Amino acid sequence: MRLATPDDMRAYGARLAAHLRPGDLLVLSGPLGAGKTTLVQGIAEGLKVRGPITSPTFVIARVHPSLRQGPPLVHVDAYRLGGDLEVDDLDLDASLEESVTVVEWGEGLVEGLADDRLEIHIDREAGDEARVVTLRGVGSRWADTPSDPLQD
């Protein structure tokens, strides 16, 4: 999926949120400035959680409660984490079942949290604001989902 602007990325995240439910783990990857936090802002908007949504780089993890009886959003930035032990210290598995958990920079660190996850890779296109988003579902939760659940 090619998204031309940050607003398109937020809108994509909001549409993606309609397909999410408690227990979902999303693992975001891509270079610095690719738009991972922008995507999470859209997911948060779609889930109707309390904001603002900012990069939790120094806080590591933030919980955003639902404003409408839906699941909370757990937003994690694993950029500064040194490995599996530091991920374990966050106790993400304690809230995984009742939350939608989104982990920026989580590739290679958080896959063990759940058998099912949605891996989202974001790349920048040279020369403009456009981004290319690639989704990959892992596990039975995503088995019957097309590679992009928004194009079903």
Side-chain angles (χ1 to χ4, degrees):
M1 168 68 62
R2 183 181 186 279
L3 302 170
T5 68
D7 286 340
D8 291 341
M9 181 71 76
R10 280 186 205 88
Y12 184 81
R15 291 191 318 271
L16 178 60
H19 296 271
L20 301 176
R21 61 184 188 212
D24 282 345
L25 172 65
L26 283 70
V27 182
L28 278 56
S29 63
L32 278 171
K36 294 178 290 294
T37 301
T38 304
L39 178 66
V40 179
Q41 290 169 344
I43 292 170
E45 180 183 317
L47 291 175
K48 305 294 186 223
V49 298
R50 187 178 315 144
I53 306 301
T54 59
S55 180
T57 299
F58 295 102
V59 176
I60 309 296
R62 285 195 177 101
V63 178
H64 298 276
S66 177
L67 298 172
R68 62 169 178 124
Q69 307 282 40
L73 171 66
V74 176
H75 181 201
V76 181
D77 188 327
Y79 184 74
R80 297 192 181 282
L81 297 182
D84 294 343
L85 291 176
E86 290 184 20
V87 171
D88 287 344
D89 287 345
L90 293 176
D91 270 343
L92 295 176
D93 51 348
S95 62
L96 194 64
E97 291 304 313
E98 65 266 4
S99 303
V100 170
T101 302
V102 181
V103 184
E104 296 185 36
W105 300 99
E107 189 175 37
L109 291 172
V110 299
E111 290 85 352
L113 290 173
D115 293 333
D116 302 313
R117 65 187 172 276
L118 187 59
E119 297 175 349
I120 303 173
H121 184 78
I122 305 171
D123 269 319
R124 293 184 293 215
E125 283 194 347
D128 62 16
E129 292 185 335
R131 303 296 192 255
V132 176
V133 179
T134 306
L135 281 72
R136 179 178 172 260
V138 175
S140 60
R141 158 73 171 102
W142 302 101
D144 295 329
T145 304
S147 62
D148 184 345
L150 304 183
Q151 293 185 354
D152 47 24

